[in-house]
Amino acid sequence: MKRAAIVGASGYTGRELLTLLARHPGLRAEVVMTARPGAEPEPPADPDEPAIAPFDAGRLAEVDGVFLCTPHGAASEVARAALARGARVVDLSADFRLRDPAAYARAYGSAHPAPDLLAQAVYGLTEHARAALGGARLVANPGCYPTSILLPLLPLLAAGLVDAAAPIVADSKSGVSGAGKTPSERTHFGSVHENCLAYGVGVHRHLPEIHQAAGTDRIVFTPHLLPAFRGILTTLYLQPAAGVTAEAMRGCLQERYAGEPFVHVRARGLPELRHVRHRNRCDLAVAASGPLVVVVAALDNLRKGAASQALQNMNLLLGLPETDGLT
Amino acid sequence: MKRAAIVGASGYTGRELLTLLARHPGLRAEVVMTARPGAEPEPPADPDEPAIAPFDAGRLAEVDGVFLCTPHGAASEVARAALARGARVVDLSADFRLRDPAAYARAYGSAHPAPDLLAQAVYGLTEHARAALGGARLVANPGCYPTSILLPLLPLLAAGLVDAAAPIVADSKSGVSGAGKTPSERTHFGSVHENCLAYGVGVHRHLPEIHQAAGTDRIVFTPHLLPAFRGILTTLYLQPAAGVTAEAMRGCLQERYAGEPFVHVRARGLPELRHVRHRNRCDLAVAASGPLVVVVAALDNLRKGAASQALQNMNLLLGLPETDGLT
Amino acid sequence: MKRAAIVGASGYTGRELLTLLARHPGLRAEVVMTARPGAEPEPPADPDEPAIAPFDAGRLAEVDGVFLCTPHGAASEVARAALARGARVVDLSADFRLRDPAAYARAYGSAHPAPDLLAQAVYGLTEHARAALGGARLVANPGCYPTSILLPLLPLLAAGLVDAAAPIVADSKSGVSGAGKTPSERTHFGSVHENCLAYGVGVHRHLPEIHQAAGTDRIVFTPHLLPAFRGILTTLYLQPAAGVTAEAMRGCLQERYAGEPFVHVRARGLPELRHVRHRNRCDLAVAASGPLVVVVAALDNLRKGAASQALQNMNLLLGLPETDGLT
Amino acid sequence: MKRAAIVGASGYTGRELLTLLARHPGLRAEVVMTARPGAEPEPPADPDEPAIAPFDAGRLAEVDGVFLCTPHGAASEVARAALARGARVVDLSADFRLRDPAAYARAYGSAHPAPDLLAQAVYGLTEHARAALGGARLVANPGCYPTSILLPLLPLLAAGLVDAAAPIVADSKSGVSGAGKTPSERTHFGSVHENCLAYGVGVHRHLPEIHQAAGTDRIVFTPHLLPAFRGILTTLYLQPAAGVTAEAMRGCLQERYAGEPFVHVRARGLPELRHVRHRNRCDLAVAASGPLVVVVAALDNLRKGAASQALQNMNLLLGLPETDGLT
C-alpha cells in the first residue's frame, strides 16, 4: 500500500481526492493537511472523513506521493520540500503549468516562485503525456478549462483536420465550484442562481496555458459561469481543413481515444453535464453546423478537470495501474 | 382605453403579457382565452389574476389588438379570424417569421398553414422595424434567440464592421422556460438542475429566421439549455473587418441604440442574466479577444425575447406610446 | 408628491423598496443612501436604477418619510436624526421591535442603543396595527418570520380557537435572501444549492418578537434554510380548542381578512412560494391533520415580509392610500 | 459471488442500486430489467452502465436476490414469481409495507394485489428488524419519509422518553426525486425551482405506514417539496415525558445507535442535506426548544431512504456482511 499526502485538503479538490482515495486499492491518504501552517481546519461535518491537520512540512517525508491543492504561488515551496524528501508531486495549482516564467508573471501578476523547478515539471494531460509521466517526479496538473478544450482539440490539430489559419472558438460554461470555496460576492447564492455571465474575455489565466499546450494562439476562449455547482461544458467551433467533414473529425477522435477509459467519444447524441457529474470521464461529440464543425466536451471540473486527472497522474508516477481508484 | 385579447394565456408568455398589461395605462386585457376551444384552463393560483376562458373566435371582435401565444401552426387561423374582425395582430408563434413558405415547411415539418397572409406580415424586431410597423396589421414577433443575436449583429453588419467572408459564431444559453410549460423528460427538474447541454446543433428552427433577418447564412448558431428558468445569454464571436477594433464596434452599437429605452450598450463590464431578469431590456457589451471581437447580449426570454417586444409592437400598431406598460 | 429616503439602499430590502417606489403614484425615492458614511456603493448594474449616495444625515431633512434598511444597532441613531428633522420613520431593522430593552440585550448581545425611543415605536404588523399607525411617527417593521407566523395566528388566538395550554409549532422555511447580501460560508452557492438545514433551534432572534406579539411563549419556532433565494413558507401545527374544527379556523381567518388586499385565505388548495414570489401578499390555508390543525402561510420575505409591509406602513404614516405602489 | 436482479432499473432508485452494486464485492447486478414487458428502455447515456433489458419473469430464476423498483401494485406479482423461483426479494414499492390489506386499499385506492404474501413480509427498517431479517424471504423496504421519522422516533418511544398523550409533529422536507422520473406539472423545473410547498396534509400514503411502525396514530406528518433533487430533512417536535431533557433523548439515541454504521447521532450541530447527499447514512441531532424537544433527521432519500437500506436488507437476506457495498 503506497501512501499519499493531500496538502490543502479542505478545499473542493482536496475533498474530492479524499473521496477517490477512500476507494483506492493501492494508495491511501496517509497525511491530510491544510495548505498553510496557520490555517485552522473546521472539524469534518462527516464522521467518515479524516480530520485535517495543520500543515507540517516534516510529514511530507512519510509519503510516496503528494497532491498539492494549494493556491497558486503557495504550491512551489511545498513542492520543493516534498521533492527534497523523495516524494513524487502532482500540483493541482497553476505554478508549474506554464513553461516560461515570464508568461507566469504576466498571467498571475508576480514573479514565478520557483523557476528552477520548471524544467522538470511535466504537463499532465494524461492521455497525451504518458511517455513523459513514467519517469517524472513533478507533474503540473492541467487546468479544468484547458482539459476540456485540449482533449478534443489536440488530436484534430495533430491530424491536420482543422484549418491552420482560422480562429478556433472555445466557449466554456462552468459550475461555480471552479471559483473555489472562499465566500465572495460572485459565489453568493444570490449572484449565482438564475444567473449566467461571461468573464475574463480575452484575458483569463487559462488562456496562455491553452495556447502553450495547443501550440497556437489562434484559440479564442470565453469562460462563463453557470448557475450550477459542478461541471464544465465546452463548445468548440472549428473551421475544418479543406474537404474535412464532421464525420472525419469524429472518426479521428474515436480512433485516438478508442482504448482510453476516461475519454468517451459519442457515436450519436451530445454530452451533458449530468452524464459526467461525479464521474472521472470526459465525454466528446462532434456535429456539423453550417461552414463549421462543432465539438462539445463535458467533464466534471472537480474530477477529470482536477482530482481524477491528478490521481491518474499519481498512479503513473508511483507505478500503480492508471485506473486504480477511478473505475 | 384600448382593448387587447390574449389567446393562449395560460402559457409562460401569455402570463407575462397579463403581468405587463396589468400596469398598462392605455391597453387592458379585455379577452383572456386558451389557445384552443377544448383546452380546460386550471383556475388561477393567484386571486389577482383573471380567469382564462375557453377559446371563442367570436370574442376577437371585441378588441383592438390580439396577442397570439399559441403553438406554431395553430396561430395562423386565429390570426386570420382576428384580422377579418378588424383587429391588429401580434403573433408570438413562428407562423409568420419566415417569408418563404418552403423554408417554413423545412423547419417546421408541415406546409405553411396560411401562405396568403405572409406578404402582409412585418418581422417585428422593433428597433429595426418601426417604419414598417406603423401601418402594419400583422406582426411576426421575433424568436427569443434571434432577438438576442440580431440586436447586436444588425448594426455591425450594416456598418460593414464585420468581415464579410468569415463565419459568425452565436453561442446562446437559455433558461428552460423557452421550452414551454408542457412537462417532458427535458423539462423535468431532475434533467435541468445542475445540468447544461447543447441541442439542435446546426438544425435549430430559429436558424433560418436568423439567416433571413441578418441577410447571410454565415451565422453558426448553437443553443444551450441552462439550469435556470429565465433568460438568454448570447456570446457572439466576430471576425472584424480589416482595421476595425472592438472599440469601433462598441461605438457603433452605442450610437445606433443611443435613444433606445430597451437596448442598453454597456460602456464597461459585461451583461449578466440577473441584470435583465423581469426587465424589458436587452443589454449588450463588446470586448476584444485575440483575433476576434466578442459581443455579449443578455435578455429575459419571456420579456424582451417575447412579451415585452410583443407589447412594444402592439403599442405601435395601435398608435400608443411605444414604451407604455414597459417602463 | 411626497418624498422618501432609503437608508441602506444597496441591500436586498433597500433595492426592493426602490423597485416598489418606482411605481408609486404619490411617493418618490428622493434620497437614496448607504447605511453608513464610509460605505462605498458599487455603481448600479442597471441603468434604470438611481445611484446610491454616501450616507449624509443632513439630507434626512429633505424628505417626509425615511425607510431604514440598516443593520440592527445602526438604525437607532439614524431614526433619532430623522425624527428630529420631522420625518416619519419605518425601521426595517430589529431595533424597535422588542418593547423591553432587556429582551433586546438578551437577543442581540448588546445594550439597546436608544431605549428612550422605544415607547413611541409602533409594531407595524399592518393589518393588526392600523389604529396605532395613524398617528405614529416611528414604526418597527416586523421581522419576516414573525409576519408569516402572526398573520395566521393572531386571529385564531384572539377568537379562542386554539387550545390555551398546548404548545404551538411554527416550522418555517426561508430562502437565503433572508441572510442578507454579505458573502459568507452559509450563503455560498456550494452551501445552499441542494441543501436544507434547520438553524437557531430554540434561540433565534425572532423568537422573543413572536412571543411578545402573540402574547404567549408557548410557540416553538424552527427556521430552516431553503435552496432558494426568496420566500418563506411557514407550517403551523395547532391544537384546536375543544370542539373546534379546521373549517372553523378557516372561517375565522376568512372573516378576519375578508377586506384585506394583502392577505389571502385560500378556500381550497395550499399556498406555494411561487404564488407569492415578487408579490405583496401573504397566502394562508387551513387543513385538518389528525389531532391537530395545520395552517400554511406563504409570503415573499423581501416583499410582505419586509419592503411591501414597510411601504404599507409608510403610506399610513404619510396619509397616503395604504395600497398605493402595491397593487 | 451472489447474483441480483433489478426490476425497474430505469427509475431513480433502480439506477442508484446499479451504482451501489458496481462497487459490491459479493453481489453483482446479473439481471437488469424494466418494470414491465412492454417498457422500452432508452439506451444508457453512460457507456459504463449496463443496458436495461425488457422484463422477462423467466430470468428471475438466474439470481439469488431480486430488488423490486416497480410502481406499487405491480410489485406483487413479480415478487410472487421471484419467490416461486427461490429468490429472496426486497420490494422498494409500497406493496408489502402495510400488514392490513384494508389499510392498503384505503391508502392506495385498490384492493391489495397479493394479500396471501403479506404474512411473510418483514418490514425492513434494518436497524430495528435484524432478528426477523435473518430468515426472511420477502422484505418490504420502508418508505423514505417513514425511515427519516422512525429512526429517531422508535428508540425514544421505546424508552418512554416521549409524553404518551401529546401529539408528535413530523415536518418533512424532500427533494423532488421522491416524486419519481415521470414528467408532470409538479416535477417541471418551472414548478420546482425557487418554490416550496406542503402537500398531502393529513392524508399522505406514508402516514398509515408511520402509524403502524410507531405503534401510535398520534403522529402528525406533513411532507413538503424542496427546490432540490435529493434528500429528506425531517424536523420532529416532541413533548418530553415528565422530567426528560433533550440531553436524555440525545443520550438515548447515541446509545441505541452507538455501533450502527449507517445512523449517526451528532454530539453537536445539526444535520444538513449536504452532509448525507450520496451517502448511505441517516444523521440525527437533538435540541431543546422551549417546552418541546426538536429532533432533526437528514438522509438521502435515494440512498438510506431507498437503495442503501434495500441493499442492507438484501445483504442480510443473502448472508453477506451487512455493510458490503455501502462503505
Side-chain angles (χ1 to χ4, degrees):
Chain A
M1 196 77 167
K2 303 268 188 179
R3 296 153 303 161
I6 303 176
V7 182
S10 60
Y12 290 137
T13 54
R15 292 177 72 100
E16 205 75 18
L17 275 168
L18 278 172
T19 299
L20 292 173
L21 289 179
R23 293 179 191 138
H24 199 296
L27 184 64
R28 72 163 180 266
E30 177 81 12
V31 174
V32 179
M33 304 193 292
T34 62
R36 289 198 188 81
E40 196 63 52
E42 40 176 335
D46 193 315
D48 301 338
E49 282 183 11
I52 302 177
F55 178 79
D56 173 0
R59 301 205 58 200
L60 298 172
E62 302 172 23
V63 300
D64 304 288
V66 176
F67 294 99
L68 299 181
C69 303
T70 62
H72 66 83
S76 290
E77 285 318 300
V78 190
R80 188 187 303 281
L83 292 169
R85 284 163 176 82
R88 311 281 169 132
V89 173
V90 175
D91 176 23
L92 288 85
S93 89
D95 276 8
F96 300 106
R97 292 177 187 161
L98 298 176
R99 284 190 297 266
D100 177 5
Y104 180 94
R106 279 194 300 275
Y108 293 91
S110 58
H112 193 282
D116 58 306
L117 295 179
L118 282 173
Q120 65 175 292
V122 173
Y123 186 73
L125 190 73
T126 321
E127 286 77 10
H128 296 263
R130 285 203 190 93
L133 284 166
R137 299 185 56 221
L138 172 59
V139 170
N141 212 56
C144 49
Y145 286 124
T147 300
S148 77
I149 292 167
L150 297 169
L151 284 176
L153 194 54
L154 292 190
L156 302 175
L157 291 176
L161 302 184
V162 180
D163 183 298
I168 292 168
V169 169
D171 189 286
S172 294
K173 301 90 178 164
S174 172
V176 75
S177 57
K181 261 182 102 169
T182 308
S184 69
E185 199 276 336
R186 168 163 291 182
T187 60
H188 192 293
F189 185 83
S191 305
V192 177
H193 92 120
E194 283 285 299
N195 197 18
C196 183
L197 57 93
Y199 68 102
V201 178
V203 299
H204 192 278
R205 287 166 168 180
H206 283 176
L207 192 56
E209 178 185 344
I210 295 164
H211 287 174
Q212 169 187 287
T216 170
D217 57 1
R218 288 177 296 127
I219 301 166
V220 172
F221 163 59
T222 309
H224 299 75
L225 198 63
L226 290 176
F229 186 67
R230 279 169 178 266
I232 289 178
L233 193 89
T234 287
T235 312
L236 287 170
Y237 297 86
L238 307 173
Q239 176 79 54
V244 172
T245 63
E247 287 70 31
M249 289 195 182
R250 184 185 306 115
C252 167
L253 291 173
Q254 285 176 322
E255 189 175 349
R256 175 64 179 81
Y257 293 119
E260 293 292 350
F262 303 125
V263 182
H264 173 58
V265 184
R266 295 177 64 108
R268 62 180 180 286
L270 293 169
E272 309 183 12
L273 287 192
R274 61 174 169 160
H275 298 157
V276 295
R277 199 162 54 204
H278 293 289
R279 296 188 183 268
N280 303 313
R281 211 177 60 219
C282 179
D283 279 8
L284 306 176
V286 181
S289 188
L292 302 184
V293 172
V294 168
V295 183
V296 180
L299 54 73
D300 184 327
N301 59 312
L302 298 180
R303 290 284 181 100
K304 183 61 173 169
S308 300
Q309 185 154 245
L311 182 51
Q312 266 186 283
N313 288 328
M314 185 64 84
N315 282 339
L316 292 172
L317 293 194
L318 300 182
L320 299 167
E322 184 181 328
T323 60
D324 269 12
L326 295 166
T327 48
Chain B
M1 196 75 168
K2 302 268 187 178
R3 296 152 304 161
I6 302 177
V7 182
S10 60
Y12 289 138
T13 54
R15 292 177 72 101
E16 205 76 18
L17 275 167
L18 279 172
T19 299
L20 291 172
L21 289 179
R23 294 178 190 139
H24 199 296
L27 183 64
R28 73 164 179 267
E30 178 81 11
V31 175
V32 180
M33 303 194 292
T34 61
R36 289 197 188 83
E40 196 63 50
E42 38 176 334
D46 193 316
D48 300 338
E49 281 182 13
I52 301 176
F55 179 79
D56 173 0
R59 300 204 58 199
L60 299 172
E62 303 172 24
V63 300
D64 304 287
V66 176
F67 295 99
L68 299 181
C69 304
T70 62
H72 66 84
S76 290
E77 284 318 300
V78 188
R80 189 187 303 279
L83 292 169
R85 284 163 177 81
R88 311 281 169 131
V89 174
V90 175
D91 175 23
L92 287 87
S93 88
D95 276 8
F96 300 106
R97 293 176 187 162
L98 298 176
R99 285 190 296 267
D100 176 3
Y104 179 94
R106 279 193 300 274
Y108 293 91
S110 57
H112 193 282
D116 58 305
L117 296 178
L118 282 173
Q120 65 175 293
V122 172
Y123 186 72
L125 190 73
T126 321
E127 286 77 9
H128 296 264
R130 284 201 191 93
L133 285 165
R137 299 184 57 222
L138 173 60
V139 170
N141 213 57
C144 49
Y145 286 123
T147 299
S148 76
I149 292 166
L150 297 168
L151 285 176
L153 194 54
L154 291 189
L156 302 175
L157 290 176
L161 302 184
V162 180
D163 183 297
I168 292 169
V169 169
D171 188 286
S172 294
K173 299 91 177 163
S174 172
V176 74
S177 58
K181 259 183 101 168
T182 308
S184 68
E185 198 277 335
R186 169 163 289 181
T187 61
H188 192 293
F189 185 82
S191 305
V192 177
H193 92 119
E194 284 284 298
N195 197 17
C196 183
L197 59 94
Y199 67 102
V201 178
V203 299
H204 193 278
R205 287 166 168 178
H206 283 175
L207 191 57
E209 178 184 345
I210 296 165
H211 287 174
Q212 169 187 288
T216 170
D217 57 3
R218 289 178 294 126
I219 301 166
V220 172
F221 162 58
T222 310
H224 298 74
L225 198 62
L226 289 175
F229 187 67
R230 278 168 179 266
I232 289 178
L233 192 89
T234 287
T235 312
L236 286 171
Y237 297 87
L238 307 174
Q239 177 79 54
V244 171
T245 63
E247 288 68 32
M249 289 194 182
R250 184 185 305 115
C252 166
L253 291 174
Q254 285 176 322
E255 189 175 348
R256 175 62 180 81
Y257 293 119
E260 292 293 350
F262 302 125
V263 183
H264 173 59
V265 184
R266 295 178 65 107
R268 64 179 179 286
L270 294 169
E272 308 183 11
L273 287 192
R274 63 174 168 160
H275 299 158
V276 295
R277 200 163 50 205
H278 293 288
R279 296 189 183 268
N280 304 312
R281 213 176 59 218
C282 180
D283 278 10
L284 306 176
V286 182
S289 188
L292 301 183
V293 172
V294 169
V295 183
V296 181
L299 54 73
D300 185 327
N301 59 311
L302 299 180
R303 289 285 181 99
K304 183 61 173 170
S308 300
Q309 186 154 247
L311 183 50
Q312 265 186 285
N313 289 328
M314 185 63 85
N315 282 338
L316 292 172
L317 293 193
L318 299 182
L320 299 166
E322 184 181 327
T323 60
D324 270 12
L326 296 167
T327 48
Chain C
M1 195 76 167
K2 303 268 188 178
R3 297 152 303 163
I6 302 177
V7 182
S10 61
Y12 289 137
T13 54
R15 293 177 72 101
E16 205 76 17
L17 275 166
L18 279 172
T19 300
L20 291 172
L21 289 179
R23 295 180 188 136
H24 198 295
L27 183 63
R28 74 163 179 266
E30 179 81 11
V31 175
V32 180
M33 305 194 291
T34 61
R36 290 198 187 81
E40 196 63 49
E42 40 175 333
D46 193 315
D48 300 338
E49 282 182 11
I52 302 176
F55 178 79
D56 173 1
R59 301 204 57 200
L60 299 172
E62 302 173 23
V63 300
D64 304 287
V66 177
F67 294 99
L68 298 182
C69 304
T70 62
H72 67 82
S76 290
E77 284 318 300
V78 189
R80 189 187 303 280
L83 292 169
R85 282 163 178 83
R88 310 284 168 130
V89 174
V90 176
D91 176 23
L92 287 86
S93 88
D95 275 8
F96 300 106
R97 291 177 188 162
L98 298 177
R99 285 189 296 267
D100 176 5
Y104 180 93
R106 278 193 302 274
Y108 293 91
S110 57
H112 192 281
D116 57 306
L117 295 178
L118 283 173
Q120 65 175 291
V122 173
Y123 186 72
L125 189 73
T126 322
E127 286 77 7
H128 296 264
R130 285 202 190 92
L133 285 165
R137 299 184 57 222
L138 172 60
V139 171
N141 213 57
C144 49
Y145 286 124
T147 300
S148 76
I149 292 166
L150 297 168
L151 284 175
L153 194 55
L154 291 190
L156 301 176
L157 290 176
L161 301 184
V162 180
D163 182 297
I168 292 168
V169 169
D171 189 285
S172 294
K173 300 91 178 165
S174 172
V176 74
S177 58
K181 261 183 102 168
T182 308
S184 68
E185 198 276 336
R186 169 162 289 182
T187 60
H188 192 293
F189 185 83
S191 306
V192 177
H193 92 119
E194 284 283 300
N195 197 18
C196 183
L197 58 94
Y199 68 101
V201 178
V203 299
H204 193 278
R205 287 165 168 180
H206 283 176
L207 192 57
E209 178 184 345
I210 295 164
H211 287 173
Q212 169 188 287
T216 170
D217 56 3
R218 288 178 296 126
I219 302 168
V220 172
F221 162 59
T222 309
H224 298 74
L225 197 62
L226 290 175
F229 186 67
R230 279 168 179 265
I232 289 179
L233 192 89
T234 287
T235 312
L236 286 170
Y237 297 86
L238 307 174
Q239 176 79 55
V244 172
T245 63
E247 287 68 33
M249 289 195 183
R250 184 185 305 115
C252 167
L253 291 174
Q254 285 176 323
E255 188 175 349
R256 175 61 180 82
Y257 293 120
E260 293 292 349
F262 303 125
V263 182
H264 173 58
V265 184
R266 294 178 65 108
R268 63 178 181 288
L270 294 169
E272 309 183 11
L273 287 192
R274 63 175 167 159
H275 299 158
V276 295
R277 200 163 52 205
H278 293 288
R279 296 188 183 268
N280 304 312
R281 213 177 59 217
C282 179
D283 278 10
L284 305 176
V286 181
S289 188
L292 302 183
V293 173
V294 169
V295 183
V296 181
L299 53 73
D300 185 327
N301 60 312
L302 300 180
R303 289 285 180 98
K304 182 60 173 170
S308 300
Q309 186 155 246
L311 182 50
Q312 265 186 284
N313 289 328
M314 185 63 86
N315 282 338
L316 291 172
L317 294 192
L318 300 182
L320 298 166
E322 183 181 327
T323 60
D324 269 12
L326 295 167
T327 48
Chain D
M1 196 77 169
K2 303 267 188 179
R3 296 152 303 160
I6 302 177
V7 181
S10 60
Y12 289 137
T13 54
R15 293 177 72 100
E16 205 76 18
L17 275 168
L18 279 173
T19 299
L20 291 172
L21 289 179
R23 294 179 191 138
H24 199 295
L27 184 64
R28 73 162 179 267
E30 178 81 10
V31 174
V32 180
M33 304 193 291
T34 61
R36 289 199 188 81
E40 196 63 50
E42 39 176 335
D46 193 315
D48 300 338
E49 282 182 10
I52 301 177
F55 179 78
D56 173 1
R59 299 204 60 199
L60 298 172
E62 302 173 23
V63 300
D64 303 289
V66 176
F67 295 99
L68 298 182
C69 304
T70 61
H72 66 82
S76 290
E77 284 318 301
V78 190
R80 189 188 302 280
L83 292 169
R85 284 162 176 83
R88 311 282 168 131
V89 173
V90 176
D91 175 23
L92 288 88
S93 89
D95 276 8
F96 299 106
R97 292 177 187 161
L98 298 176
R99 283 190 297 267
D100 176 4
Y104 179 93
R106 279 194 301 274
Y108 293 90
S110 57
H112 193 282
D116 57 307
L117 295 178
L118 282 172
Q120 64 175 293
V122 173
Y123 186 71
L125 190 73
T126 321
E127 286 77 9
H128 296 264
R130 285 202 190 94
L133 285 166
R137 300 184 57 221
L138 172 60
V139 170
N141 212 55
C144 49
Y145 286 124
T147 299
S148 76
I149 292 167
L150 297 168
L151 284 176
L153 194 54
L154 292 190
L156 302 175
L157 290 177
L161 302 184
V162 180
D163 183 297
I168 292 168
V169 169
D171 188 287
S172 294
K173 300 89 176 165
S174 172
V176 75
S177 58
K181 260 183 102 168
T182 308
S184 68
E185 198 277 334
R186 168 163 290 181
T187 60
H188 192 293
F189 185 82
S191 305
V192 177
H193 92 119
E194 284 285 297
N195 197 19
C196 183
L197 58 94
Y199 67 101
V201 179
V203 299
H204 193 277
R205 288 166 167 180
H206 283 176
L207 191 57
E209 178 185 343
I210 295 164
H211 286 174
Q212 169 187 287
T216 169
D217 58 1
R218 288 178 296 128
I219 301 167
V220 172
F221 162 59
T222 310
H224 298 75
L225 198 62
L226 291 175
F229 186 67
R230 278 169 178 265
I232 288 178
L233 193 88
T234 286
T235 311
L236 286 171
Y237 298 86
L238 306 174
Q239 176 80 54
V244 172
T245 63
E247 288 69 32
M249 288 195 182
R250 185 185 304 115
C252 167
L253 291 173
Q254 285 176 322
E255 188 174 349
R256 174 63 180 80
Y257 293 119
E260 292 291 350
F262 303 125
V263 182
H264 173 59
V265 183
R266 296 178 64 107
R268 63 180 180 287
L270 294 169
E272 308 182 11
L273 287 192
R274 61 173 169 161
H275 299 158
V276 295
R277 200 163 52 205
H278 293 289
R279 297 188 182 268
N280 304 314
R281 210 176 60 217
C282 179
D283 279 9
L284 306 176
V286 181
S289 188
L292 301 184
V293 173
V294 169
V295 183
V296 181
L299 54 74
D300 184 327
N301 59 312
L302 299 181
R303 289 284 181 100
K304 182 63 172 169
S308 300
Q309 185 153 247
L311 183 50
Q312 265 186 284
N313 288 328
M314 185 64 85
N315 282 338
L316 291 172
L317 293 193
L318 299 182
L320 298 167
E322 184 181 328
T323 60
D324 269 12
L326 295 167
T327 47

